[in-house]
Amino acid sequence: MASALPDDPLAPDWLIVPEDANALPPRIWPASARRAADGALTLGGVGVAELRERFGTPLYVLDEDEVRTHARRFVAAFGTAAEAHGTTARVYYAGKAFLSAEVARWVVEEGMGVDVCSRGELELALAAGVDPARIGFHGNNKRVSELERAVEVGVGTIIVDSVIEIERLGAIAERRDRVQHVLLRVNSGVHAETHDFLATAHEDQKFGFPLTEAPAAVARIREIPSLSLLGLHCHIGSQIFGASGFEESASRVVDLHAALLAGGELPLLNLGGGFGIAYTAADAPTPIEQLAAAIVEAVAQECDVRGVPIPGLAFEPGRSVVGQAGVTLYEVGTTKPVSLGDRGERLYVSVDGGMSDNARPALYGAQYSARIASREGAGAPVLVRVVGSHCESGDIVVDHEYLPGDVTPGDLLAVPATGAYCHALASNYNHAPRPAVVAVRDGRARVIVRGESIADLLGRDAGLDQDAAPQTSPNPIVQKSGRSAGEGEA
């Protein structure tokens, strides 16, 4: 059995042996997560045994109340902070974290707009009933057809990212006899303390204009009658703890904002999102109320120093709205102790999903937590690595975790904080069907994104004669009613 010693040389410094390897740290799990009398996990009042029986595994579970609570907190936090300095704040949900019709409706009902960055995201938001005036459209390479569609439906704000796009959008809006509101995306040069691929404001990358080139771009926008410049946009990265990066970025962007006021009004400043969440017990993100107060205070001070009024503000949280609301359920298939000689032994726990349903560990080295969900485990905690079923040695779900020593095949394993960038980045690698997304609330579960079946995958292959295609059961189970695991509501 793998070692559980606190000084285990295979364990990273940040990983602490838990006093109780069945505990559910509240920073990581949805508020509704708890263990029933039999030790099994419940989410939104729904037991994991029911979820497995009805929908199979792997399965994304999303707590609706948790999403709504975080959305309300963001709207209230930034609204209160802005009001304290005599301005207003708009809050958009960054749909790239995870977007479905239901999620779009939830966040809008709680006072948010929706930020999209592709034609597909735009069409989904529109189909869900989101007012296009409350949509912001991002992207470094928006197709002409995407810009035409955005102007056609009346998207509230398009964030322009290049001189070419400025010219394209101006021509499209002119042909349609529209005046399109835009923000100019700029790079503040502040490199967020995050993974390089998550940092988006340093100079050597694809997004936005360097601060030195922004005045010429602004001048060109102001020359085009069919474009109306609302202001500047800056996003410094993702999964950021603390306000210091936002404060420094605000200083630089407000400096540019003040200089540009000589040429006309700039009523809005969008400082993006990127607020971090806890994935492990070692993570301690700053509460959004503190972040909002510090960021808005920094903007107000910078404006005061330059003698300009504070503009309206906008923010774009995504992960921090939906991330903690998500839990992914897997079934353990095998366990395997692996000896590493003098370094000790690690227990590999293989589950029925992996990098096709959560690419973040492979992409960013992201760390996650895990718990046995179908029961309370027994025995001293052992160091494990939770791995997937794909033909990749880097197919890691949870790199380092302590689980009860009796973890065994057939156990349900729950990985929390998977609401953001898991379904959104999911793939069919190794021809794995993408799992369903199920929303839970008040003891009821319903599918909000249908899962795929093997038949769905085969149906996309134009080289197959569908009349001769093998009849296959939907993945992962066929319900007793005969419906696929992605159907129905109770």
Side-chain angles (χ1 to χ4, degrees), residues 249-259 269 298-299 302-303 306 308:
S249 182
S251 170
R252 301 183 191 189
V253 176
V254 168
D255 197 50
L256 174 63
H257 167 88
L269 176 60
V299 174
E302 296 297 337
C303 288
R306 292 162 180 79
V308 299

Side-chain angles (χ1 to χ4, degrees), residues 363-383:
L363 284 177
Y364 314 131
Q367 301 294 334
Y368 282 88
S369 306
R371 288 292 183 263
I372 297 175
S374 45
R375 62 185 177 87
E376 284 194 319
V382 297
L383 182 66

Side-chain angles (χ1 to χ4, degrees), residues 190-202 204-205 207 235-241 274 276 279 319 359-367:
V190 174
H191 190 149
E193 295 180 1
T194 185
H195 191 285
D196 281 348
F197 291 170
L198 303 180
T200 56
H202 55 81
D204 189 9
Q205 52 90 33
F207 292 110
H235 181 71
I236 64 172
S238 297
Q239 187 54 9
I240 303 166
F241 291 177
Y279 287 100
R319 176 200 322 264
R360 295 188 68 253
L363 284 177
Y364 314 131
Q367 301 294 334

Side-chain angles (χ1 to χ4, degrees), residues 104-131:
R105 292 170 187 142
W106 300 345
V107 297
V108 167
E109 288 170 5
E110 301 302 340
M112 289 183 150
V114 178
D115 169 59
V116 301
C117 56
S118 72
R119 175 70 181 269
E121 290 182 357
L122 172 61
E123 296 296 349
L124 193 148
L126 294 172
V130 178
D131 181 353

